[in-house]
Each structure stands twice: as structure tokens, then as C-alpha cells.
Amino acid sequence: LAFARGAPVDSDAAWITRVEAADSQLAEEAATHRDLVVVPLLDTYRAVPEKVLQFYLWAAGTRAKFALKTDDDCFVDMGRVVGGLAARKLYGRPKV
């Protein structure tokens, strides 16, 4: 499981302070769990296609069997995802 995020956009000082605090926590998370991919682009709605592409390019270079893109305002029922993959017998198939 890995998480992708872009760099902050806003120039408001208070916002930058909050983002820097979050970045510090995320850096700790990434060092501990190695599950965070930070892509070098501004985190804006217009940049979503590039962020997704960068995430999948990163995923293609890993040993991951599957990659799933979601967003922070979505809920993924992982039981259904894993069950669906198992029902379709996708485990063990080569990467496409």
C-alpha cells in the first residue's frame, strides 16, 4: 500500500506552516512504513492526471502485483477489492 501526493500550492503563511507540519509527519510516516510517494508537482486539480501518471510509473517499477488509485475523499472497501481480484483469479498473472 502506498500513497501519492503532490507539493503544496498555497502561498498563505499560516497554510504553509500547517503544510510544513504535515510534511514533517508524512516524512516520518514514509521513513517508518515506506508507503508514501511524493511526486514533484503542485497538488492542484489540473495536476491530477500527471500525479496519477507519476504514481503508476512508480508502481510499475515496484514488485507490486496490483495498483489502485483513489482519493482522500473516497472510501475503498478493500475486502470487496481483494475478493473481486480473487474471484477473477488475477493473482499470479503477469503484469500488463
Side-chain angles (χ1 to χ4, degrees):
L1 180 63
F3 304 91
R5 76 179 287 271
V9 177
D10 208 312
S11 61
D12 176 55
W15 175 251
I16 294 293
T17 301
R18 288 193 302 269
V19 168
E20 287 172 348
D23 281 349
S24 175
Q25 292 172 332
L26 289 171
E28 185 177 324
E29 162 81 14
T32 302
H33 300 285
R34 301 186 55 163
D35 63 354
L36 179 65
V37 179
V38 178
V39 294
L41 52 86
L42 295 177
D43 205 357
T44 64
Y45 186 72
R46 278 182 69 148
V48 168
E50 180 65 20
K51 183 167 76 169
V52 171
L53 175 63
Q54 291 298 322
F55 172 73
Y56 282 125
L57 288 172
W58 171 84
T62 70
R63 296 175 55 199
K65 294 179 181 175
F66 302 100
L68 170 74
K69 192 275 183 208
T70 189
D71 215 332
D72 62 350
D73 59 352
C74 297
F75 173 79
V76 177
D77 184 342
M78 290 305 295
R80 291 192 72 179
V81 170
V82 172
L85 293 172
R88 289 168 181 79
K89 299 184 184 351
L90 296 175
Y91 289 107
R93 291 176 66 183
K95 286 184 181 180
V96 179

